Short mmCIF file of all heavy atoms in Angstrom, two decimals:
data_model
loop_
_atom_site.label_atom_id
_atom_site.label_comp_id
_atom_site.label_asym_id
_atom_site.label_seq_id
_atom_site.Cartn_x
_atom_site.Cartn_y
_atom_site.Cartn_z
N GLU A 126 20.40 2.38 -18.97
CA GLU A 126 19.06 2.13 -18.43
C GLU A 126 18.29 1.20 -19.35
O GLU A 126 18.37 1.30 -20.57
CB GLU A 126 18.30 3.45 -18.25
CG GLU A 126 18.61 4.13 -16.94
CD GLU A 126 18.48 3.21 -15.72
OE1 GLU A 126 17.49 2.46 -15.62
OE2 GLU A 126 19.40 3.23 -14.87
N ARG A 127 17.54 0.27 -18.73
CA ARG A 127 16.89 -0.74 -19.56
C ARG A 127 15.39 -0.67 -19.46
O ARG A 127 14.82 -0.22 -18.49
CB ARG A 127 17.38 -2.14 -19.17
CG ARG A 127 16.71 -2.76 -17.96
CD ARG A 127 17.16 -2.17 -16.65
NE ARG A 127 16.64 -2.88 -15.50
CZ ARG A 127 15.58 -2.49 -14.80
NH1 ARG A 127 14.92 -1.42 -15.12
NH2 ARG A 127 15.19 -3.21 -13.76
N ASP A 193 11.05 -9.07 -2.79
CA ASP A 193 11.35 -7.85 -3.55
C ASP A 193 10.08 -7.46 -4.30
O ASP A 193 9.66 -8.18 -5.21
CB ASP A 193 12.49 -8.10 -4.55
CG ASP A 193 12.86 -6.83 -5.31
OD1 ASP A 193 12.07 -5.87 -5.31
OD2 ASP A 193 13.95 -6.80 -5.93
N ASN A 195 9.55 -5.49 -6.62
CA ASN A 195 9.89 -5.43 -8.06
C ASN A 195 8.67 -5.05 -8.90
O ASN A 195 8.20 -5.82 -9.74
CB ASN A 195 10.47 -6.78 -8.50
CG ASN A 195 11.66 -6.58 -9.44
OD1 ASN A 195 11.96 -5.47 -9.85
ND2 ASN A 195 12.34 -7.67 -9.78
N ARG A 197 6.06 -3.98 -11.43
CA ARG A 197 5.95 -3.88 -12.89
C ARG A 197 4.48 -3.61 -13.22
O ARG A 197 3.70 -4.54 -13.46
CB ARG A 197 6.36 -5.21 -13.55
CG ARG A 197 7.78 -5.66 -13.33
CD ARG A 197 8.73 -4.93 -14.28
NE ARG A 197 10.07 -5.48 -14.22
CZ ARG A 197 11.00 -5.14 -13.32
NH1 ARG A 197 10.72 -4.26 -12.38
NH2 ARG A 197 12.20 -5.68 -13.35
N PRO A 223 12.66 -3.41 -1.44
CA PRO A 223 12.09 -2.59 -2.52
C PRO A 223 13.11 -1.66 -3.19
O PRO A 223 14.18 -1.42 -2.63
CB PRO A 223 11.04 -1.75 -1.78
CG PRO A 223 11.59 -1.61 -0.40
CD PRO A 223 12.31 -2.89 -0.11
N SER A 224 12.74 -1.12 -4.36
CA SER A 224 13.54 -0.08 -5.04
C SER A 224 12.74 1.23 -4.98
O SER A 224 11.58 1.26 -5.41
CB SER A 224 13.75 -0.43 -6.51
OG SER A 224 14.75 -1.39 -6.63
N PHE A 225 13.37 2.29 -4.49
CA PHE A 225 12.61 3.52 -4.21
C PHE A 225 11.84 4.09 -5.40
O PHE A 225 10.66 4.41 -5.26
CB PHE A 225 13.52 4.58 -3.55
CG PHE A 225 12.76 5.83 -3.31
CD1 PHE A 225 11.66 5.84 -2.44
CD2 PHE A 225 13.08 7.00 -3.98
CE1 PHE A 225 10.92 7.00 -2.24
CE2 PHE A 225 12.33 8.15 -3.79
CZ PHE A 225 11.26 8.15 -2.92
N PRO A 226 12.45 4.23 -6.59
CA PRO A 226 11.67 4.86 -7.68
C PRO A 226 10.39 4.10 -8.00
O PRO A 226 9.35 4.71 -8.27
CB PRO A 226 12.65 4.84 -8.87
CG PRO A 226 14.01 4.73 -8.26
CD PRO A 226 13.83 3.92 -7.01
N ASP A 227 10.44 2.77 -7.96
CA ASP A 227 9.24 1.96 -8.22
C ASP A 227 8.17 2.22 -7.16
O ASP A 227 6.97 2.31 -7.46
CB ASP A 227 9.55 0.45 -8.15
CG ASP A 227 10.52 -0.01 -9.22
OD1 ASP A 227 10.89 0.80 -10.08
OD2 ASP A 227 10.91 -1.20 -9.18
N VAL A 254 15.77 -0.35 1.35
CA VAL A 254 15.24 0.41 0.20
C VAL A 254 16.42 0.75 -0.71
O VAL A 254 17.29 1.55 -0.34
CB VAL A 254 14.52 1.69 0.67
CG1 VAL A 254 13.85 2.36 -0.53
CG2 VAL A 254 13.50 1.38 1.76
N LYS A 255 16.44 0.12 -1.89
CA LYS A 255 17.51 0.38 -2.87
C LYS A 255 17.17 1.64 -3.65
O LYS A 255 16.00 1.97 -3.82
CB LYS A 255 17.61 -0.81 -3.85
CG LYS A 255 18.05 -2.11 -3.21
CD LYS A 255 17.70 -3.31 -4.09
CE LYS A 255 16.25 -3.70 -3.93
NZ LYS A 255 15.83 -4.80 -4.80
N ASP A 256 18.19 2.30 -4.18
CA ASP A 256 17.92 3.53 -4.93
C ASP A 256 19.00 3.79 -5.97
O ASP A 256 19.58 4.88 -6.01
CB ASP A 256 17.78 4.70 -3.94
CG ASP A 256 17.09 5.90 -4.58
OD1 ASP A 256 16.65 5.80 -5.74
OD2 ASP A 256 16.99 6.94 -3.91
N GLY A 257 19.29 2.79 -6.80
CA GLY A 257 20.27 2.97 -7.87
C GLY A 257 21.61 3.43 -7.33
O GLY A 257 22.16 2.83 -6.40
N ALA A 258 22.14 4.54 -7.89
CA ALA A 258 23.44 5.08 -7.49
C ALA A 258 23.38 5.80 -6.14
O ALA A 258 24.42 6.13 -5.57
CB ALA A 258 23.96 6.03 -8.56
N ASP A 259 22.17 6.04 -5.64
CA ASP A 259 22.02 6.72 -4.35
C ASP A 259 22.09 5.70 -3.20
O ASP A 259 21.98 4.49 -3.43
CB ASP A 259 20.70 7.50 -4.31
CG ASP A 259 20.76 8.73 -5.22
OD1 ASP A 259 21.86 9.31 -5.32
OD2 ASP A 259 19.74 9.07 -5.82
N PRO A 260 22.27 6.19 -1.96
CA PRO A 260 22.43 5.25 -0.85
C PRO A 260 21.23 4.33 -0.67
O PRO A 260 20.09 4.74 -0.93
CB PRO A 260 22.56 6.16 0.37
CG PRO A 260 22.97 7.49 -0.15
CD PRO A 260 22.40 7.60 -1.53
N ALA A 261 21.47 3.10 -0.23
CA ALA A 261 20.38 2.20 0.18
C ALA A 261 20.11 2.49 1.65
O ALA A 261 21.03 2.76 2.42
CB ALA A 261 20.79 0.75 -0.02
N PRO A 274 26.50 3.15 -2.40
CA PRO A 274 27.29 2.24 -3.26
C PRO A 274 28.51 2.96 -3.82
O PRO A 274 28.54 4.19 -3.83
CB PRO A 274 26.31 1.88 -4.39
CG PRO A 274 25.30 2.97 -4.42
CD PRO A 274 25.27 3.61 -3.05
N ALA A 275 29.48 2.21 -4.30
CA ALA A 275 30.66 2.82 -4.93
C ALA A 275 30.22 3.54 -6.20
O ALA A 275 29.24 3.15 -6.84
CB ALA A 275 31.68 1.73 -5.27
N THR A 276 30.95 4.61 -6.56
CA THR A 276 30.65 5.31 -7.82
C THR A 276 31.09 4.43 -8.99
O THR A 276 32.20 3.91 -8.99
CB THR A 276 31.42 6.65 -7.87
OG1 THR A 276 31.02 7.38 -6.72
CG2 THR A 276 31.10 7.43 -9.13
N ILE A 277 30.16 4.27 -9.95
CA ILE A 277 30.48 3.43 -11.10
C ILE A 277 30.39 4.29 -12.35
O ILE A 277 29.35 4.89 -12.61
CB ILE A 277 29.52 2.23 -11.17
CG1 ILE A 277 29.76 1.35 -9.95
CG2 ILE A 277 29.71 1.44 -12.46
CD1 ILE A 277 28.75 0.27 -9.79
N ALA A 280 29.09 1.69 -16.10
CA ALA A 280 27.90 0.83 -16.15
C ALA A 280 27.44 0.71 -17.60
O ALA A 280 27.43 1.70 -18.33
CB ALA A 280 26.79 1.42 -15.29
N THR A 283 21.87 -1.99 -16.51
CA THR A 283 21.47 -2.17 -15.11
C THR A 283 20.53 -3.36 -14.90
O THR A 283 20.08 -3.60 -13.78
CB THR A 283 20.79 -0.89 -14.56
OG1 THR A 283 19.67 -0.60 -15.39
CG2 THR A 283 21.74 0.28 -14.52
N THR A 284 20.24 -4.13 -15.94
CA THR A 284 19.37 -5.30 -15.77
C THR A 284 19.99 -6.24 -14.73
O THR A 284 21.16 -6.60 -14.83
CB THR A 284 19.22 -6.07 -17.09
OG1 THR A 284 18.78 -5.18 -18.09
CG2 THR A 284 18.22 -7.22 -16.94
N GLY A 285 19.18 -6.62 -13.74
CA GLY A 285 19.66 -7.56 -12.73
C GLY A 285 20.37 -6.89 -11.57
O GLY A 285 20.81 -7.57 -10.64
N ALA A 286 20.45 -5.54 -11.58
CA ALA A 286 21.14 -4.86 -10.47
C ALA A 286 20.42 -5.16 -9.15
O ALA A 286 21.05 -5.56 -8.16
CB ALA A 286 21.18 -3.35 -10.72
N GLY A 287 19.11 -4.96 -9.14
CA GLY A 287 18.36 -5.19 -7.91
C GLY A 287 18.37 -6.66 -7.51
O GLY A 287 18.50 -6.99 -6.33
N ASP A 288 18.25 -7.54 -8.49
CA ASP A 288 18.21 -8.98 -8.20
C ASP A 288 19.53 -9.45 -7.58
O ASP A 288 19.55 -10.27 -6.65
CB ASP A 288 17.97 -9.79 -9.49
CG ASP A 288 16.74 -9.32 -10.25
OD1 ASP A 288 15.83 -8.77 -9.61
OD2 ASP A 288 16.72 -9.49 -11.47
N SER A 289 20.65 -8.97 -8.12
CA SER A 289 21.95 -9.40 -7.61
C SER A 289 22.23 -8.74 -6.26
O SER A 289 22.80 -9.38 -5.36
CB SER A 289 23.06 -9.10 -8.62
OG SER A 289 23.06 -7.72 -8.95
N PHE A 290 21.80 -7.49 -6.11
CA PHE A 290 21.91 -6.85 -4.79
C PHE A 290 21.24 -7.74 -3.74
O PHE A 290 21.80 -8.03 -2.68
CB PHE A 290 21.25 -5.46 -4.79
CG PHE A 290 21.25 -4.81 -3.44
CD1 PHE A 290 22.24 -3.91 -3.08
CD2 PHE A 290 20.28 -5.15 -2.50
CE1 PHE A 290 22.26 -3.35 -1.80
CE2 PHE A 290 20.30 -4.59 -1.22
CZ PHE A 290 21.28 -3.69 -0.86
N VAL A 308 24.35 -5.06 3.36
CA VAL A 308 24.07 -4.08 2.29
C VAL A 308 25.34 -3.84 1.48
O VAL A 308 25.29 -3.75 0.25
CB VAL A 308 23.53 -2.76 2.90
CG1 VAL A 308 23.47 -1.66 1.83
CG2 VAL A 308 22.16 -2.96 3.51
N GLY A 311 25.70 -6.52 -0.92
CA GLY A 311 24.74 -6.33 -2.02
C GLY A 311 25.25 -5.31 -3.02
O GLY A 311 25.23 -5.54 -4.24
N HIS A 312 25.73 -4.16 -2.52
CA HIS A 312 26.26 -3.12 -3.41
C HIS A 312 27.44 -3.65 -4.23
O HIS A 312 27.55 -3.36 -5.43
CB HIS A 312 26.76 -1.93 -2.59
CG HIS A 312 25.70 -0.99 -2.12
ND1 HIS A 312 24.56 -0.70 -2.83
CD2 HIS A 312 25.63 -0.23 -0.99
CE1 HIS A 312 23.84 0.19 -2.15
NE2 HIS A 312 24.46 0.49 -1.03
N ALA A 313 28.31 -4.41 -3.60
CA ALA A 313 29.52 -4.88 -4.30
C ALA A 313 29.13 -5.80 -5.46
O ALA A 313 29.64 -5.67 -6.58
CB ALA A 313 30.45 -5.61 -3.32
N ALA A 315 26.08 -6.03 -7.00
CA ALA A 315 25.31 -5.29 -8.02
C ALA A 315 26.24 -4.40 -8.85
O ALA A 315 26.06 -4.25 -10.06
CB ALA A 315 24.22 -4.46 -7.35
N GLY A 316 27.25 -3.84 -8.20
CA GLY A 316 28.21 -2.99 -8.90
C GLY A 316 28.95 -3.74 -9.98
O GLY A 316 29.30 -3.19 -11.03
N VAL A 319 26.22 -4.45 -13.08
CA VAL A 319 25.87 -3.36 -13.99
C VAL A 319 26.97 -3.06 -15.00
O VAL A 319 26.75 -2.34 -15.97
CB VAL A 319 25.47 -2.05 -13.24
CG1 VAL A 319 24.26 -2.28 -12.36
CG2 VAL A 319 26.63 -1.46 -12.45
N1 LIG B 292 24.38 3.74 -11.44
C1 LIG B 292 24.73 2.95 -10.41
N2 LIG B 292 25.87 3.18 -9.73
C2 LIG B 292 26.23 2.41 -8.70
N3 LIG B 292 25.51 1.35 -8.27
C3 LIG B 292 24.37 1.07 -8.90
C4 LIG B 292 23.91 1.85 -10.01
N4 LIG B 292 22.72 1.33 -10.42
C5 LIG B 292 22.48 0.28 -9.61
N5 LIG B 292 23.45 0.12 -8.69
C6 LIG B 292 23.53 -0.92 -7.66
O1 LIG B 292 22.43 -1.80 -7.82
C7 LIG B 292 21.56 -1.74 -6.68
C8 LIG B 292 20.13 -1.87 -7.11
O2 LIG B 292 19.86 -0.84 -8.04
P1 LIG B 292 18.39 -0.33 -8.35
O3 LIG B 292 18.50 0.44 -9.63
O4 LIG B 292 17.87 0.40 -7.17
O5 LIG B 292 17.60 -1.70 -8.49
P2 LIG B 292 16.59 -2.24 -9.60
O6 LIG B 292 17.43 -2.92 -10.63
O7 LIG B 292 15.75 -3.20 -8.84
O8 LIG B 292 15.82 -1.06 -10.10
C9 LIG B 292 21.92 -0.42 -6.00
O9 LIG B 292 21.58 -0.45 -4.63
C10 LIG B 292 23.41 -0.37 -6.25
O10 LIG B 292 24.09 -1.26 -5.39
#
Side-chain angles (χ1 to χ4, degrees):
E126 275 310 314
R127 82 285 188 261
D193 183 344
N195 221 353
R197 298 279 188 276
S224 282
F225 178 63
D227 296 355
V254 187
K255 295 162 280 177
D256 197 4
D259 288 326
T276 302
I277 294 171
T283 57
T284 306
D288 307 333
S289 56
F290 176 96
V308 170
H312 280 326
V319 299

